C-alpha cells in the first residue's frame, strides 16, 4: 500500500484545484477547474460567484484527481487544504470539503498556509531550492519579500502597502479594455510595444516594501488623457515600471541577506519578462534562480499537498476548527 501521498485541495480564490503529491515532490495528478471565463465580464474575481462555483466543482475535481493519480483513499497519508489567506467564502468550501473527506476516509487533515504552498511550488517535480533562500512572491493577491534559512524558518522582509502586482496587471488590462486575468494579456501586448511613457516607480529606492496604487493611477491618467495612445506602448511602459521596482527590491534584499537561492513564485512568476529580469539579478549576485514550471506558478492543489509534508515531517498541526481565523493563517 502506498502511504507517502497527500491529497491537496486549493480554493483560496477563483480556481478549484486538487493534486496528489509524494513526499519528494512527485506529482501524480493535478486537476484545475478554472473560473477565469466566469469572472472575465467583471474584470476581476466576484467573491460570491467564486464560492458558488467552488461548491459545484470541488467534489468532481477531487474525483478526477484521484482517478488521474490511480489511487484510492487507502493510499493517502493525509488530506491537505488551504486554510488562508484568501476569500473567506472560497476557503470555507475547501476546508469543509477536506473535513468531510478526512472524517469519511479516516485520515488526518492538515491546514496549509496558501503562501507556503506557493513557496514550496518551486520544488514540485524537482528539488531546486538551496538554503538560505530569498523569496519573491508575486501574485494577484500578494507581493512580498521573505528570507528562509530553512523550510521552517521564514522571515518577512517586505510586503505591499496597498495593491499587489498581480492586481495592478489586472487593472491595467481593464483600463486598456482587455480581459481577465490581465497578466498574460499585458505581457503579450508589452512584447510588441515600446516603453516610451515615463511612469512612476513607487518606493523604488525606499526599503523593501512595495506600493502599486500610484502606478495604477498613473496608467489610468495616461489612458484618460488620450484615446489615440498605442496600447502596446502603454503596456510596455507599465511592465517596465513594474520590473524596475521588483528588480530593485530583490537586489537590495540579496545585499542584506546571504542567500544561495532566489525563489520567485506566485501567478506573476509565469511572466516571461519577469523571469528574464530575475535571471539577470541572480547572475549579478551569483545565486541560484528557483522558478516553478509555469504550470505550477498559478494556484494549484499540488503545491498545497507538497507544503503539507513540511507540517507532517515536523509534527506541526494547524487549527481547522469552525472558529479558526482562516484569513490570518500563520506560516
Amino acid at each position: 500500500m502506498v502511504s507517502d501521498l497527500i491529497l491537496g485541495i486549493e480554493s483560496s480564490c477563483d480556481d478549484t484545484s486538487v493534486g496528489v503529491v509524494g513526499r519528494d515532490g512527485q506529482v501524480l495528478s493535478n486537476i484545475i477547474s478554472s473560473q477565469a471565463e466566469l469572472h472575465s465580464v467583471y474584470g476581476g474575481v466576484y467573491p460570491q460567484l467564486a464560492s458558488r462555483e467552488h461548491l459545484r466543482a470541488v467534489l468532481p475535481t477531487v474525483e478526477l484527481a484521484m482517478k488521474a493519480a490511480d489511487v484510492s483513499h487507502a493510499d493517502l497519508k493525509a488530506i491537505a487544504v488551504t486554510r488562508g489567506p484568501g476569500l473567506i467564502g472560497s476557503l470555507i468550501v475547501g476546508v469543509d470539503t477536506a473535513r468531510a473527506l478526512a472524517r469519511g476516509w479516516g485520515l488526518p487533515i492538515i491546514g496549509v498556509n496558501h503562501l507556503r504552498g506557493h513557496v514550496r511550488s518551486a520544488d514540485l517535480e524537482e528539488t531546486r531550492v538551496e538554503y538560505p533562500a530569498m523569496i519573491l512572491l508575486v501574485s494577484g493577491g500578494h507581493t512580498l519579500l521573505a528570507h528562509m534559512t530553512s523550510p521552517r524558518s521564514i522571515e518577512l522582509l517586505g510586503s505591499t502597502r496597498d495593491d499587489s502586482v498581480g492586481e495592478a496587471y489586472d487593472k491595467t488590462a481593464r483600463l486598456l479594455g482587455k480581459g481577465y486575468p490581465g497578466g498574460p494579456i499585458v505581457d503579450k501586448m508589452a512584447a510588441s510595444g515600446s516603453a516610451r511613457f515615463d511612469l512612476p516607480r513607487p518606493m523604488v529606492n525606499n526599503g523593501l516594501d512595495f506600493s502599486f496604487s500610484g502606478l495604477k493611477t498613473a496608467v489610468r491618467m495616461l489612458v484618460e488623457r488620450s484615446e489615440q495612445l498605442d496600447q502596446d506602448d502603454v503596456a510596455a511602459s507599465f511592465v517596465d515600471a513594474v520590473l524596475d521596482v521588483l528588480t530593485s527590491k530583490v537586489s537590495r534584499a540579496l545585499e542584506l541577506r546571504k542567500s544561495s537561492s532566489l525563489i520567485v513564485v506566485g501567478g506573476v512568476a509565469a511572466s516571461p519578462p519577469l523571469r528574464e529580469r530575475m535571471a539577470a539579478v541572480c547572475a549579478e549576485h551569483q545565486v541560484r534562480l528557483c522558478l516553478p514550471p509555469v504550470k505550477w506558478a498559478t494556484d494549484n492543489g499540488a503545491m498545497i499537498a507538497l507544503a503539507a509534508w513540511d507540517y507532517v515531517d515536523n509534527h506541526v498541526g494547524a487549527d481547522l476548527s469552525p472558529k479558526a481565523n482562516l484569513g490570518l493563517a500563520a506560516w
Side-chain angles (χ1 to χ4, degrees):
M1 177 185 298
V2 178
S3 61
D4 275 356
L5 296 175
I6 289 180
L7 177 80
I9 300 173
E10 156 59 27
S11 67
S12 65
C13 191
D14 60 333
D15 282 342
T16 308
S17 181
V18 180
V20 179
V21 176
R23 186 188 298 271
D24 60 356
Q26 178 190 11
V27 181
L28 274 68
S29 69
N30 186 73
I31 305 298
I32 298 177
S33 176
S34 175
Q35 300 181 20
E37 185 175 347
L38 177 67
H39 298 285
S40 61
V41 66
Y42 302 103
V45 178
Y46 195 96
Q48 287 182 314
L49 288 180
S51 58
R52 291 177 197 165
E53 188 64 13
H54 283 303
L55 193 60
R56 183 199 66 79
V58 65
L59 286 178
T61 306
V62 169
E63 292 175 1
L64 287 172
M66 297 284 284
K67 183 176 181 180
D70 192 23
V71 298
S72 72
H73 68 271
D75 300 318
L76 301 176
K77 187 177 186 67
I79 295 174
V81 62
T82 302
R83 68 184 296 268
L87 300 176
I88 190 65
S90 295
L91 289 168
I92 286 172
V93 173
V95 170
D96 283 352
T97 300
R99 285 177 179 143
L101 292 175
R103 175 170 292 188
W105 292 345
L107 292 169
I109 178 174
I110 302 166
V112 176
N113 184 290
H114 178 73
L115 306 186
R116 179 179 285 276
H118 272 304
V119 171
R120 296 295 278 123
S121 70
D123 280 335
L124 284 170
E125 296 182 338
E126 173 189 338
T127 300
R128 300 175 178 85
V129 178
E130 297 176 0
Y131 296 98
M134 187 65 64
I135 303 164
L136 174 66
L137 196 161
V138 279
S139 69
H142 308 280
T143 301
L144 62 84
L145 277 166
H147 190 249
M148 297 177 69
T149 54
S150 74
R152 291 195 67 185
S153 175
I154 302 179
E155 177 191 7
L156 181 64
L157 301 179
S159 59
T160 182
R161 295 188 179 182
D162 40 58
D163 302 316
S164 71
V165 65
E167 199 276 338
Y169 263 96
D170 289 339
K171 183 59 178 293
T172 297
R174 192 187 314 170
L175 288 168
L176 296 175
K178 306 302 180 182
Y180 169 86
I185 297 170
V186 172
D187 273 342
K188 184 176 181 180
M189 295 173 66
S192 301
S194 172
R196 63 187 181 88
F197 299 111
D198 185 20
L199 294 175
R201 274 72 170 157
M203 299 182 65
V204 67
N205 295 314
N206 184 9
L208 296 177
D209 283 341
F210 301 87
S211 172
F212 292 102
S213 61
L215 177 57
K216 289 197 316 180
T217 300
V219 172
R220 176 178 59 79
M221 293 176 65
L222 178 64
V223 172
E224 289 177 351
R225 278 201 303 266
S226 174
E227 296 180 356
Q228 305 303 317
L229 291 175
D230 186 306
Q231 291 193 337
D232 290 347
D233 289 351
V234 175
S237 301
F238 166 79
V239 170
D240 196 54
V242 167
L243 294 181
D244 281 352
V245 171
L246 295 179
T247 300
S248 173
K249 302 289 184 179
V250 170
S251 293
R252 187 174 300 120
L254 289 172
E255 291 168 359
L256 293 173
R257 293 288 192 280
K258 176 178 174 57
S259 304
S260 298
S261 305
L262 170 65
I263 305 171
V264 183
V265 290
V268 184
S271 166
L274 176 61
R275 287 178 170 238
E276 291 175 9
R277 283 283 191 104
M278 291 301 107
V281 170
C282 286
E284 178 183 351
H285 291 272
Q286 296 184 321
V287 300
R288 182 180 186 182
L289 178 59
C290 299
L291 288 161
V294 171
K295 63 182 177 180
W296 305 128
T298 55
D299 295 350
N300 62 84
M303 72 183 193
I304 300 303
L306 180 57
W309 283 111
D310 295 340
Y311 295 78
V312 170
D313 292 341
N314 292 289
H315 308 289
V316 176
D319 182 12
L320 284 178
S321 66
K323 294 183 180 180
N325 190 336
L326 300 179
L328 296 175
W331 281 95

